[in-house]
Amino acid sequence: MLVALTRSVSPNLGNCELEYFSRQPIDIALAARQHRHYEQCLESRGAQVICLPAEPDLPDSVFVEDPALVLDEIAVITRMGVESRRAEAATLAAALAPFRPLRRIEAPGTLEGGDVIRTGRTLFVGLSHRSNRDGIAQLSALAAPCGYTVKAVPVRGCLHLKSAACQLGDDAILINRAWVDPSLFAGLRLIDVDDAEPWAANVLPIGGSLLCSAAFPATRDLLGRAGYRTEPLDISELAKAEGALTCSSLIFER
Ligand code: CIR
């Protein structure tokens, strides 16, 4: 049984961290409706959604992908690259404890789940503003006994590795080559985002289809032509906080 761990939108989302976007007003009620629709899409694809209560003091806490990484054997509670988000880990760790033994990234390491792409037993980890070499080395030491190889991937021009590239549920990667070196994914099939849609690489494979942002129709079209079933979701309000599709859930086998 697939579990999707989520957290309701903070009423304070408007005070989110921003790295690449200018601050825009966020309609919190609309963000909450869009997030609920996202959860319904996960449910309709077979996931049991466990939604944690909103954290009014933690603006970015809806983005549960970042404070933890759930592998088949363990869950790694990360140490986030921005101080303002570190308190998100406590309640997320409590929610994950029944499912996996917990491990932790410790200072001076930093790591955010948005920087981790898994393909088979390989973890590609973005070396970004948010995840540093020490954090990646710690993850490598924690995951190696479970049979994972960790590969560091320098990222430029975007928030996380998963802003630049995402795994499509098979041996393919959707990629914006301007932000990550494609040669690092040697052996995998690469599909480029549409040139006019640099932020389109973040899509979520679940239940045999790809959840895509409705804001990037050209990339969705090209995925359709490549044989993928896609579903557009309006995530306009979470996108203003630099969120996309993968960042609002942690999906794992129970
Ligand atoms: C942040 O800057 O941390 C949030 N405003 C956005 C995080 C999005 N996370 C993700 O894509 N994994």
Side-chain angles (χ1 to χ4, degrees), residues 16-17 60 63 65-66 85 114 130 159-160 241-243 247:
C16 61
E17 294 286 338
D60 280 303
F63 301 124
E65 174 177 61
D66 297 320
R85 296 197 58 191
R130 299 290 183 85
L159 179 59
H160 288 129
E242 287 186 44
C247 54

Side-chain angles (χ1 to χ4, degrees), residues 13 15-20 59-61 63-66 80 82 84-85 88 112-115 130 159-160 162-163 202 238 240-248:
L13 178 63
N15 292 321
C16 61
E17 294 286 338
L18 289 174
E19 298 255 351
Y20 289 91
D60 280 303
S61 51
F63 301 124
V64 291
E65 174 177 61
D66 297 320
M80 299 199 48
V82 277
S84 74
R85 296 197 58 191
E88 294 173 27
E112 298 195 0
D115 271 316
R130 299 290 183 85
L159 179 59
H160 288 129
K162 270 197 265 199
S163 324
N202 189 280
L238 296 176
K240 291 175 187 170
E242 287 186 44
L245 272 310
T246 61
C247 54
S248 297

Side-chain angles (χ1 to χ4, degrees), residues 12-190:
N12 234 330
L13 178 63
N15 292 321
C16 61
E17 294 286 338
L18 289 174
E19 298 255 351
Y20 289 91
F21 293 3
S22 308
R23 198 166 295 281
Q24 299 179 58
I26 295 179
D27 180 335
I28 298 296
L30 179 56
R33 283 200 299 280
Q34 290 174 343
H35 186 253
R36 184 66 201 128
H37 179 61
Y38 170 83
E39 291 175 324
Q40 285 162 350
C41 283
L42 300 179
E43 261 161 10
S44 71
R45 278 158 185 76
Q48 178 200 357
V49 173
I50 299 176
C51 182
L52 305 180
E55 292 277 0
D57 296 335
L58 298 171
D60 280 303
S61 51
V62 65
F63 301 124
V64 291
E65 174 177 61
D66 297 320
L69 172 69
V70 184
L71 300 175
D72 298 344
E73 304 80 2
I74 55 173
V76 179
I77 306 304
T78 70
R79 179 170 178 272
M80 299 199 48
V82 277
E83 180 84 45
S84 74
R85 296 197 58 191
R86 291 199 181 136
E88 294 173 27
T91 49
L92 205 59
L96 287 170
F99 297 103
R100 299 286 192 276
L102 301 184
R103 305 285 184 265
R104 288 180 192 273
I105 302 294
E106 309 285 356
T110 64
L111 193 90
E112 298 195 0
D115 271 316
V116 183
I117 295 176
R118 177 180 170 183
T119 63
R121 290 270 140 184
T122 302
L123 303 176
F124 295 95
V125 187
L127 191 53
S128 68
H129 285 171
R130 299 290 183 85
S131 301
N132 66 17
R133 285 197 187 278
D134 190 280
I136 296 173
Q138 288 185 42
L139 177 64
S140 185
L142 293 172
C146 306
Y148 296 91
T149 302
V150 168
K151 293 186 178 169
V153 177
V155 174
R156 54 185 178 270
C158 61
L159 179 59
H160 288 129
L161 175 59
K162 270 197 265 199
S163 324
C166 261
Q167 197 260 115
L168 297 181
D170 49 16
D171 64 344
I173 299 277
L174 182 62
I175 187 168
N176 174 348
R177 295 173 191 242
W179 293 341
V180 64
D181 177 355
S183 69
L184 295 163
F185 298 107
L188 295 166
R189 195 159 58 92
L190 300 184

Side-chain angles (χ1 to χ4, degrees), residues 216-226 230:
F216 306 124
T219 300
R220 198 159 62 81
D221 279 357
L222 70 83
L223 287 168
R225 287 196 299 278
T230 64

